Amino acid sequence: MADLPETERLQILAIAAAVDFEPGHVFAEAGHTPPHVWFIEAGLATAHVVLSDGRMVGVMVFGPEGAINLAAPAAGRPSPVRVTAQTSGRALRVEQARLKALTGAGSALTELMLTYGATLQSDLHKAVACNAVHAASRRLATWILRCHRRIEGDILPLKQEDFAGLLGAQRSTINAAAQSLQAAGAVSYSWGRVRVLNRETLARLACECAPR
């Protein structure tokens, strides 16, 4: 929301409700049209593609700069991903219909919605390719970087099972990948918790999908 002109930002704030959320909170369900747009102020959320067998693969991370379901009012289509909170946090919640009423030709909000939709589609396509060709250790390094840039401090609030869900992998695979990153001096890994020790080393070990 910080990228919007002050006039449009104030219009959104006037119709927004401040909401605290806990880990596991569902912001969007794949195949369903989400009723709200969420502007994250604190906390971490992730978007997953839900496969036909029920497994999920992570495609996107939302932090304090993120807006969830932002493309929905413009597109009017069901969400292609399931979005859930990984940590507790706080967000501004806006009803889709009321947000759509603020859009129009030439508005910055409309442009932001279109950009968000294009970014989500791009990330979906990249996730398919990444999971098909990149090694688990490189994909784990990428997800650690994505999460690390959206939190304060170096200890990630995600556990082994959370990363297993993001990578669509078994916990044993995550454990082996994390041990590999630890051996390289990029992270410390204990009791399923990850601490970033050297971001530069981590970036070198990550796949090409990592944020630069």
Side-chain angles (χ1 to χ4, degrees):
M1 198 188 301
D3 294 333
L4 294 172
E6 184 177 5
T7 302
E8 294 188 37
R9 188 165 63 251
L10 291 175
Q11 288 177 328
I12 295 174
L13 290 174
I15 59 173
V19 177
D20 293 326
F21 58 83
E22 297 298 325
H25 177 86
V26 178
F27 297 102
E29 196 67 78
H32 297 267
T33 301
H36 300 102
V37 174
W38 301 78
F39 296 92
I40 303 297
E41 294 188 318
L44 201 67
T46 53
H48 295 76
V49 170
V50 182
L51 304 179
S52 59
D53 61 2
R55 289 181 300 137
M56 296 190 293
V57 178
V59 294
M60 206 172 190
V61 180
F62 301 92
E65 84 295 346
I68 301 171
N69 303 329
L70 188 58
R77 293 193 297 267
S79 174
V81 292
R82 187 174 197 265
V83 185
T84 57
Q86 294 289 345
T87 69
S88 58
R90 184 181 63 258
L92 295 176
R93 184 184 66 195
V94 183
E95 293 180 13
Q96 271 203 42
R98 300 188 72 183
L99 188 65
K100 187 175 182 179
L102 300 180
T103 63
S107 75
L109 178 58
T110 300
E111 184 62 30
L112 190 61
M113 286 180 175
L114 295 173
T115 300
Y116 173 92
T119 300
L120 178 56
Q121 288 301 318
S122 176
D123 284 352
L124 287 171
H125 295 151
K126 287 180 181 178
V128 172
C130 182
N131 286 319
V133 301
H134 294 153
S137 61
R138 291 191 175 277
R139 289 193 288 135
L140 178 59
T142 293
W143 277 106
I144 292 174
L145 286 169
R146 287 172 176 166
C147 296
H148 183 241
R149 69 186 298 191
R150 292 172 171 85
I151 65 169
E152 295 182 3
D154 294 323
I155 300 178
L156 269 64
L158 281 73
K159 297 181 179 180
Q160 186 184 75
E161 55 265 31
D162 298 319
F163 284 112
L166 289 171
L167 272 69
Q170 299 292 325
R171 291 190 190 183
S172 58
T173 300
I174 300 301
N175 184 62
Q179 295 291 350
S180 174
L181 298 179
Q182 179 171 257
V187 304
S188 65
Y189 179 68
S190 178
W191 298 100
R193 290 284 187 179
V194 172
R195 177 195 291 269
V196 175
L197 299 178
N198 190 314
R199 186 176 175 86
E200 289 73 24
T201 300
L202 193 61
R204 179 173 53 81
L205 296 172
C207 66
E208 63 191 73
C209 306
R212 302 298 179 182

